[in-house]
Amino acid sequence: MFKNTLFLKIIFVFLFPYIGMLYFNYVLISENNEILNQSSKIKRSISNIKDLEYLSHSLQKERGLSSAYLSSQKFTKELKQQRLITNKLYKELLKNSINISIAKVNNIKKIQIAISTLSLLRSKVDNFSITPFTVISEMSLINDLVLETIALYSKIKPTMKFDNRLAYINYLLIAKEQAAIQRGITTYFLYNKLTNKDKEYDLLRKSYIIEEINIKNFLLRASINEVEKYKKEVNTLEFSKILNIRSNLVNSNFDKKISVEEWLILKTKKIDALENVYEYISAKTLNNIEEVERKAYLSIMLSLTLLIVMILIIIILIYLLRQIILKEQRNISRIEKQQNVYALLNSANKLLIKSNTEKKIFKKICQLLSTNTNMSFSLIYKEIGDKFDLVFEQNNTKAILNNDIKIIEQVIKKNKYVMFNNLKKEKDFFNYELIKKYNLKSFIAFPVKKFGMITDILFIFSNDRDFFDKEILILFNNIIHNLEHALEKIDYENERKIQEDKLRIISYAFETNEPMLITDKDVNIINANNAFCTEIGYEKKDILGKKPSIFSSKYHSEDFYTNMWNMINKNGSWSGELYNTLSNNKTVPLLSTITAVKDENGIVKNYLAQYINISEQKDKQKLLEYNATHDYLTDLPNRSLLLDRLGHAIQRVIRHNIIGGLIFIDLDNFKAVNDTLGHDIGDKLLIKVSKSLKYSVRDEDTVSRIGGDEFVILSDCIGKTKEEAKLNIINLAEKIKFILNDIKDIEGHKNNVTPSIGITLFDKYSISATDIIKQADEAMYKAKKEGKNTIEFFE
């Protein structure tokens, strides 16, 4: 987008934090997505564990009923119903066992194999061909496989705070399995009146130990709420009866009748209580997972919203930065354009001084314009007779014009320039194909006047649209003005030469008011009129026989005189400004013409010198130059001279690596002085302020007045470092503030005017003189906002 990498650098600086935030959002979304994936896995595991646990619970009930049935030949209906429930839960387990690991698949297959033997085991129970103890053992093996598979599902990599529940819930299920085993064995004991001395008691005792160990492990790892739930479900009056039965069984105390049905109901209640605790933990785990999922979803939505907002902010920021930088680029381009045209103006002035014919001037002006990259072609039309003809063009440029006569007519009618800033729309005047070929964008035609009449017209084409803006027009008007002056001077010189060629020495009225001097061929003075003697301050007798070099001044070099005589010997005459020394040693500028007077054979016999004292014109010129660069009231430099000196100051700052400073002063309440006391009092106050300011600064500093009550002080070497410069310029500003506040009255009137002061520093990195003044101006306005009569520094 730009010729340099400024835009990319600024974009990187501004967008780096946002890129970091985008990356942070991406990481946050990824983490929450991982949480959702993990929670989904845990939910599947809990679902599978629940299916296995339901099957385990059903097998436990079937095992207990099978043992009771073999011991009492009762519970037939309940046993059949429980078998149906077991078969149903088994089928659901197989249906839901998809997308599981190989280890879990192998365990499911083991369960399938074990369940396949369940039919034979049930048949033996129905035929009473198996003991209750054997049924308990065989079915416990099947249930162990189910519990083992549950343990596999519980082994999930802990990435969330609730994952360990799947591990310690296994302790609860093992304890529940042991309680179910105890239900069956104890039923068998009660029916057969066995004692603790029978060998089957070892299995029962071992089951008690395993249950107690797993309950302890569960309670150690469970949360407070889960422990409270366990105590609420298990520690009741009914379960104390289980402990009494267990104690009686240990002591072989069968005096009291212990109802097997009562035992089964009580033990089943305990098993169901453990089942309730398991259901509570599972439900709580699922609730926690759903809460985590909800938070994760919410976090993802917020992150995505923030992501979208940041992307919008980045887009807006890029757009705004692009607009700002484009504006700055345009400002820089405009300043560069003005500098180039200003340089062209200086070159044109030098060219006009050196050129002595109209043809050379036109040629060199067009060549000079072509050196500017923004100005492609130029043409010059001259009035010849009653029409304007083309007298100079570059590379057949006239072909670009469709109607040059109409443009000339508009220039003459308006008596000013004619400008087109979009040539593609002006097909009546220009050749569209050539405009497109040469990439021409804008055009201007300047009238060139001699002695107030339009005699020539300068056409200029530019490759830059809207190239001829207000500032460029001001510079070009200066070029045209200087061109007009040079052409007038050439006409004057040509006319004078014509007159000189017509007259010979005998035709001159020697004793006129025009100073004249005659020498012989060896340049010895042979005569001088009274006007010359009066002008030069010598008596005629004192200069006769001497050479005119006695009047030479140090203003001219030896080379100047050598070139002058070479021109006289070559062309027969010379005209120009000559600075001679008077008898009082004062140097005076004379417009001089020296002509070689030849005989009919072309042999030089004499030299005739004519002089016109142009001191008054020179003084007027100096006065005009001074007035153009100084304030008429205070004699201080004006804005134009300030800008020129500030430009030189910037160069010195760059060359010597120092710090410059600028102080912008605006007089508070000055308008009230003019309105109440009159402008004459206001003018006297301004003069007094200017004198005070000049008194307060160094000789090398510039004090300028750039507006009605606005003053600027330029100090191009205020320090070698920013710290030193800042201290020095603040001290200077404080001094200025004190001095201006010390002006107590104006012509007998009380002075209420105070200064608001803005300060800025500039170094080798500063852009332009205009920008530096703007910075100080902004600081001054800040001082005004802070209550006036204050000093503010541009930061």
Side-chain angles (χ1 to χ4, degrees):
M1 181 163 43
F2 302 106
K3 295 180 181 179
N4 51 47
T5 59
L6 174 63
F7 179 75
L8 293 178
K9 289 178 181 177
I10 295 177
I11 285 293
F12 178 79
V13 170
F14 274 87
L15 296 188
F16 185 78
Y18 289 96
I19 294 171
M21 292 173 69
L22 286 174
Y23 177 75
F24 173 78
N25 269 324
Y26 168 77
V27 171
L28 190 61
I29 291 171
S30 299
E31 288 177 353
N32 282 293
N33 190 53
E34 180 62 27
I35 289 173
L36 291 175
N37 291 335
Q38 187 65 23
S39 64
S40 178
K41 290 180 183 178
I42 294 173
K43 286 171 72 175
R44 287 198 301 270
S45 296
I46 291 173
S47 177
N48 291 328
I49 289 172
K50 188 175 286 188
D51 290 338
L52 288 164
E53 200 284 328
Y54 285 162
L55 178 60
S56 172
H57 189 64
S58 182
L59 286 170
Q60 289 168 356
K61 285 186 176 183
E62 184 179 343
R63 180 178 59 197
L65 289 170
S66 296
S67 173
Y69 174 78
L70 288 172
S71 300
S72 64
Q73 297 184 6
K74 296 179 181 180
F75 307 107
T76 305
K77 182 179 178 181
E78 289 85 351
L79 179 59
K80 287 182 178 180
Q81 186 177 0
Q82 192 61 44
R83 285 176 177 174
L84 292 173
I85 293 171
T86 301
N87 291 340
K88 181 182 177 182
L89 292 172
Y90 172 67
K91 289 178 181 178
E92 288 181 359
L93 173 66
L94 293 179
K95 180 181 177 182
N96 295 331
S97 297
I98 56 175
N99 298 327
I100 58 176
S101 64
I102 295 173
K104 295 169 187 174
V105 169
N106 292 335
N107 267 54
I108 295 295
K109 287 181 178 179
K110 290 179 182 180
I111 292 172
Q112 286 179 289
I113 294 169
I115 292 294
S116 66
T117 65
L118 190 59
S119 298
L120 179 61
L121 194 61
R122 288 171 176 172
S123 178
K124 288 181 180 181
V125 171
D126 292 339
N127 296 326
F128 295 95
S129 59
I130 189 170
T131 66
F133 189 82
T134 306
V135 169
I136 291 170
S137 299
E138 291 294 330
M139 293 192 73
S140 293
L141 291 174
I142 297 172
N143 216 27
D144 286 342
L145 284 173
V146 175
L147 293 174
E148 182 182 331
T149 306
I150 289 174
L152 283 174
Y153 277 107
S154 301
K155 293 179 180 179
I156 297 175
K157 184 179 180 181
T159 58
M160 293 187 290
K161 60 183 179 180
F162 51 78
D163 288 354
N164 59 345
R165 289 196 179 112
L166 298 180
Y168 69 70
I169 203 172
N170 211 38
Y171 293 119
L172 181 66
L173 295 178
I174 293 172
K176 178 171 165 284
E177 167 65 7
Q178 295 304 316
I181 291 172
Q182 293 164 24
R183 178 177 59 185
I185 295 174
T186 303
T187 302
Y188 176 73
F189 265 67
L190 291 174
Y191 273 112
N192 294 285
K193 305 295 183 181
L194 298 179
T195 67
N196 57 7
K197 294 181 180 180
D198 293 294
K199 62 179 182 179
E200 288 84 354
Y201 182 76
D202 290 336
L203 181 61
L204 186 60
R205 182 175 55 80
K206 183 179 179 182
S207 178
Y208 289 150
I209 295 170
I210 294 172
E211 180 188 11
E212 289 174 1
I213 291 171
N214 281 280
I215 287 297
K216 286 181 180 178
N217 285 333
F218 167 72
L219 293 175
L220 284 171
R221 291 165 175 77
S223 67
I224 295 174
N225 291 335
E226 291 165 353
V227 171
E228 291 296 327
K229 177 66 176 176
Y230 172 82
K231 290 179 179 180
K232 182 179 178 181
E233 292 287 343
V234 176
N235 295 344
T236 61
L237 182 62
E238 286 80 2
F239 297 131
S240 66
K241 292 179 182 181
I242 294 175
L243 296 176
N244 289 334
I245 294 171
R246 175 177 167 181
S247 177
N248 290 335
L249 187 63
V250 171
N251 298 322
S252 301
N253 184 7
F254 294 101
D255 294 336
K256 298 180 181 179
K257 287 187 177 181
I258 300 173
S259 169
V260 174
E261 288 78 5
E262 182 183 4
W263 161 254
L264 285 173
I265 291 170
L266 289 173
K267 196 65 177 178
T268 300
K269 280 186 177 181
K270 181 176 181 180
I271 294 169
D272 289 340
L274 294 174
E275 176 71 11
N276 290 338
V277 175
Y278 161 75
E279 291 286 350
Y280 172 79
I281 296 172
S282 295
K284 188 175 179 182
T285 302
L286 285 173
N287 287 337
N288 287 349
I289 292 172
E290 288 172 358
E291 179 64 20
V292 170
E293 285 182 332
R294 187 187 68 79
K295 290 181 179 179
Y297 279 123
L298 181 60
S299 179
I300 288 174
M301 292 304 295
L302 289 173
S303 297
L304 287 173
T305 303
L306 183 59
L307 191 66
I308 292 170
V309 170
M310 283 194 293
I311 290 172
L312 289 174
I313 290 173
I314 289 171
I315 292 171
I316 293 170
L317 186 60
I318 291 174
Y319 173 78
L320 292 176
L321 287 174
R322 181 178 180 274
Q323 294 302 111
I324 292 170
I325 295 172
L326 280 173
K327 184 178 179 180
E328 289 302 315
Q329 289 284 346
R330 285 194 293 270
N331 289 337
I332 292 171
S333 298
R334 188 172 67 252
I335 291 169
E336 289 177 350
K337 179 174 72 174
Q338 293 172 10
Q339 290 175 341
N340 290 337
V341 176
Y342 186 78
L344 188 146
L345 172 62
N346 291 333
S347 299
N349 290 337
K350 294 177 182 178
L351 179 153
L352 293 173
I353 292 172
K354 295 178 181 179
S355 301
N356 54 9
T357 66
E358 188 177 88
K359 185 176 181 180
K360 285 183 180 180
I361 287 178
F362 286 158
K363 180 179 180 181
K364 289 183 178 180
I365 283 290
C366 290
Q367 289 174 346
L368 184 62
L369 291 173
S370 67
T371 61
N372 188 290
T373 55
N374 291 313
M375 288 180 281
S376 309
F377 304 105
S378 57
L379 306 88
I380 294 179
Y381 284 77
K382 184 172 182 62
E383 184 181 25
I384 301 175
D386 58 350
K387 65 177 182 177
F388 281 81
D389 288 338
L390 180 65
V391 294
F392 190 85
E393 66 174 324
Q394 289 177 306
N395 303 324
N396 195 25
T397 315
K398 189 177 185 303
I400 301 173
L401 297 164
N402 285 340
N403 199 336
D404 54 348
I405 296 175
K406 194 170 183 180
I407 296 174
I408 293 170
E409 288 175 352
Q410 287 192 20
V411 172
I412 295 172
K413 182 179 180 181
K414 292 181 178 180
N415 197 29
K416 60 180 292 188
Y417 63 84
V418 171
M419 180 170 58
F420 301 103
N421 277 322
N422 189 353
L423 297 187
K424 290 183 179 179
K425 294 182 179 180
E426 306 296 338
K427 295 183 180 179
D428 293 341
F429 296 101
F430 306 99
N431 186 311
Y432 180 78
E433 294 300 324
L434 292 178
I435 290 294
K436 186 177 179 181
K437 177 181 178 181
Y438 295 119
N439 191 30
L440 302 177
K441 300 290 182 62
S442 56
F443 166 86
I444 195 165
F446 284 105
V448 180
K449 301 177 182 180
K450 285 193 292 186
F451 308 106
M453 301 295 294
I454 298 175
T455 57
D456 306 276
I457 298 176
L458 173 63
F459 287 10
I460 305 173
F461 289 91
S462 174
N463 298 108
D464 187 4
R465 186 173 177 178
D466 298 322
F467 177 77
F468 300 100
D469 56 26
K470 184 178 179 181
E471 291 80 7
I472 297 300
L473 284 174
I474 292 172
L475 293 173
F476 263 103
N477 282 331
N478 288 332
I479 293 175
I480 297 299
H481 176 75
N482 293 338
L483 174 61
E484 291 171 345
H485 178 74
L487 293 176
E488 289 175 354
K489 182 180 177 182
I490 289 174
D491 279 5
Y492 175 80
E493 292 297 327
N494 288 339
E495 181 66 23
R496 192 166 59 81
K497 285 180 181 180
I498 291 172
Q499 294 301 323
E500 287 176 355
D501 291 340
K502 290 180 178 179
L503 297 176
R504 292 194 166 273
I505 191 168
I506 58 173
S507 66
Y508 282 103
F510 193 71
E511 289 300 333
T512 65
N513 291 330
E514 182 177 316
M516 302 176 72
L517 179 73
I518 301 175
T519 71
D520 59 17
K521 63 179 183 178
D522 298 319
V523 199
N524 295 310
I525 298 173
I526 60 173
N527 201 355
N529 66 2
N530 290 331
F532 178 84
C533 293
T534 303
E535 184 70 43
I536 209 74
Y538 285 95
E539 293 289 335
K540 183 186 290 188
K541 63 179 181 176
D542 295 329
I543 60 174
L544 292 177
K546 296 181 180 178
K547 293 186 179 295
S549 59
I550 63 173
F551 311 123
S552 63
S553 68
K554 294 181 179 179
Y555 185 89
H556 300 296
S557 65
E558 290 294 330
D559 290 337
F560 171 82
Y561 291 107
T562 301
N563 293 331
M564 180 186 75
W565 281 107
N566 288 338
M567 186 71 69
I568 293 170
N569 295 330
K570 180 180 179 182
N571 300 325
S573 65
W574 174 88
S575 294
E577 292 181 2
L578 195 64
Y579 283 77
N580 279 352
T581 302
L582 305 180
S583 61
N584 59 4
N585 291 324
K586 182 180 177 181
T587 301
V588 61
L590 301 170
L591 186 61
S592 308
T593 301
I594 301 173
T595 306
V597 181
K598 302 177 182 179
D599 61 10
E600 60 272 16
N601 297 318
I603 305 299
V604 175
K605 295 296 183 179
N606 301 91
Y607 291 99
L608 172 66
Q610 298 169 282
Y611 302 95
I612 299 175
N613 190 328
I614 56 173
S615 298
E616 185 177 349
Q617 292 92 320
K618 286 289 182 179
D619 291 340
K620 287 181 179 179
Q621 183 179 354
K622 288 179 181 179
L623 181 60
L624 288 174
E625 291 174 353
Y626 183 87
N627 289 337
T629 57
H630 287 75
D631 177 47
Y632 74 97
L633 179 64
T634 62
D635 278 341
L636 294 177
N638 61 13
R639 179 183 288 271
S640 175
L641 184 55
L642 173 65
L643 286 171
D644 181 69
R645 291 185 181 179
L646 184 52
H648 291 297
I650 292 172
Q651 295 300 319
R652 285 193 293 275
V653 163
I654 294 171
R655 187 164 56 250
H656 299 295
N657 195 23
I658 54 178
I659 306 296
L662 199 74
I663 299 176
F664 198 111
I665 304 165
D666 184 272
L667 300 181
D668 307 322
N669 310 316
F670 178 76
K671 185 177 182 300
V673 174
N674 280 337
D675 292 342
T676 58
L677 301 180
H679 286 274
D680 56 334
I681 299 298
D683 289 346
K684 289 179 181 180
L685 175 60
L686 291 174
I687 293 169
K688 199 167 188 179
V689 168
S690 65
K691 290 179 179 179
S692 298
L693 291 176
K694 286 195 287 187
Y695 172 80
S696 64
V697 301
R698 303 171 301 182
D699 291 339
E700 61 266 32
D701 294 336
T702 296
V703 179
S704 63
R705 181 189 177 207
I706 65 170
D709 59 349
E710 294 176 337
F711 297 83
V712 173
I713 296 176
L714 167 64
S715 182
D716 63 349
C717 180
I718 198 68
K720 294 184 177 179
T721 65
K722 281 192 175 182
E723 291 74 18
E724 179 187 2
K726 188 172 184 180
L727 178 63
N728 290 340
I729 201 165
I730 289 175
N731 289 337
L732 177 57
E734 291 288 351
K735 180 181 177 183
I736 290 168
K737 178 185 172 186
F738 174 80
I739 289 175
L740 295 185
N741 280 322
D742 198 45
I743 301 175
K744 302 298 182 181
D745 64 89
I746 322 155
E747 297 295 314
H749 301 281
K750 184 180 179 181
N751 177 31
N752 293 320
V753 174
T754 59
S756 287
I757 300 175
I759 305 173
T760 189
L761 298 176
F762 57 93
D763 54 19
K764 61 182 179 181
Y765 300 108
S766 299
I767 299 176
S768 69
T770 305
D771 287 338
I772 294 169
I773 294 174
K774 285 181 180 178
Q775 290 174 359
D777 189 25
E778 288 178 14
M780 181 275 293
Y781 274 106
K782 185 178 178 184
K784 286 223 177 255
K785 291 180 181 178
E786 292 299 324
K788 302 180 180 179
N789 198 22
T790 58
I791 300 171
E792 288 293 335
F793 202 91
F794 178 85
E795 299 292 347

